[in-house]
Amino acid sequence: MTKLKLFTKNYATVMDWQRTLLYRDGMLERVLEPGRHRYDAERCSLVSVDMRPRLLQVGGQELLTRDGLSVRVSYAADWVVTDPVAFTTGAQYAEPVLYGAIQEAVRDLIAAHTLDELVADRALLNGDVRRVATAVEHLGITVSGLRAKDLMLPGELRKAALETVLARERGRAELERARAEAAALRSLANTAKLLDEHPALLRLRTLQVATAPGAKIVLDAGIGSRLPE
């Protein structure tokens, strides 16, 4: 009589945003697509990989600019798993490898510019996506974006930057005040020249002021002029 060996059959459901690696006796057999699958629970094991887009936050780290000043810059990277097999087997933990690749790219980026350049043009802070993508492509990862979130200066530099801005604004205010005073002096000079050339205008102006309610006119017979008081 032949004895039949019974295998324990289990079912696995793979979601639409997943891919599941099926290992039989420790060897990769196939990648399960979305749907319901039956497998031998005694000999097989499953590893699920999330294929949805992800966001990696790279916290502020101390970096040196080209002129030797220390700044803290934080970044955000958009990435997604495109090869679940490479993502699972390429490294014990793929995300720290991506984190390190971003740190190296950012460190070189900041070191290539002075603090004034970085503050004046925030576009210079944008990371080199191609460099990071190349560093992690063997892990089945595609990096689609790398952008700076915050640029933080040490306390002393922030204070110095604030003082510089205030001094610049004070200078602009003084310049505007000087321009206004110069314009007023030019207007007075033009008026004096006009009255000197046309004395009748002064009499007309005096009559105009005299018609105003409450106006008081003082007549000086010595010079024959009327001045409003």
Side-chain angles (χ1 to χ4, degrees), residues 19 26 39-40 45 48-49 78 113 120 131 143 151 156 163 167-168 197-199 208 215 220 224 229:
R19 296 298 181 272
Y39 67 99
D40 183 354
S45 59
S48 295
V49 179
D78 300 303
H113 300 285
R131 173 177 173 177
V143 182
L151 173 62
E156 293 182 357
E163 290 176 351
R168 183 165 56 245
E197 295 176 351
H198 304 281
Q208 184 181 24
D220 190 340
E229 183 178 2

Side-chain angles (χ1 to χ4, degrees), residues 133-229:
T134 300
V136 297
E137 62 182 356
H138 67 285
L139 299 177
I141 293 175
T142 297
V143 182
S144 59
L146 179 59
R147 58 192 178 278
K149 296 182 59 181
D150 298 300
L151 173 62
M152 296 158 283
L153 306 179
E156 293 182 357
L157 287 180
R158 286 199 302 270
K159 182 178 179 181
L162 178 60
E163 290 176 351
T164 300
V165 172
L166 291 176
R168 183 165 56 245
E169 294 303 319
R170 291 193 192 99
R172 290 178 180 175
E174 292 293 337
L175 179 60
E176 291 300 321
R177 201 159 29 242
R179 287 175 177 173
E181 291 176 357
L185 289 175
R186 283 195 300 269
S187 178
L188 289 175
N190 292 335
T191 301
K193 182 179 179 182
L194 186 63
L195 292 177
D196 185 60
E197 295 176 351
H198 304 281
L201 292 177
L202 179 59
R203 298 188 182 93
L204 292 175
R205 177 58 178 164
T206 302
L207 293 175
Q208 184 181 24
V209 172
T211 59
K216 184 177 181 181
I217 304 297
V218 177
L219 301 178
D220 190 340
I223 59 176
S225 60
R226 297 184 181 94
L227 298 176
E229 183 178 2

Side-chain angles (χ1 to χ4, degrees), residues 36-48:
R36 187 173 174 81
H37 304 269
R38 190 173 71 170
Y39 67 99
D40 183 354
E42 292 185 353
R43 300 182 58 189
C44 299
S45 59
L46 306 176
V47 177
S48 295

Side-chain angles (χ1 to χ4, degrees), residues 112-140:
H113 300 285
T114 65
L115 178 61
D116 288 341
E117 292 172 345
L118 295 174
V119 173
D121 186 3
R122 293 294 297 269
L124 296 175
L125 293 171
N126 293 334
D128 188 350
V129 177
R130 291 174 296 180
R131 173 177 173 177
V132 177
T134 300
V136 297
E137 62 182 356
H138 67 285
L139 299 177

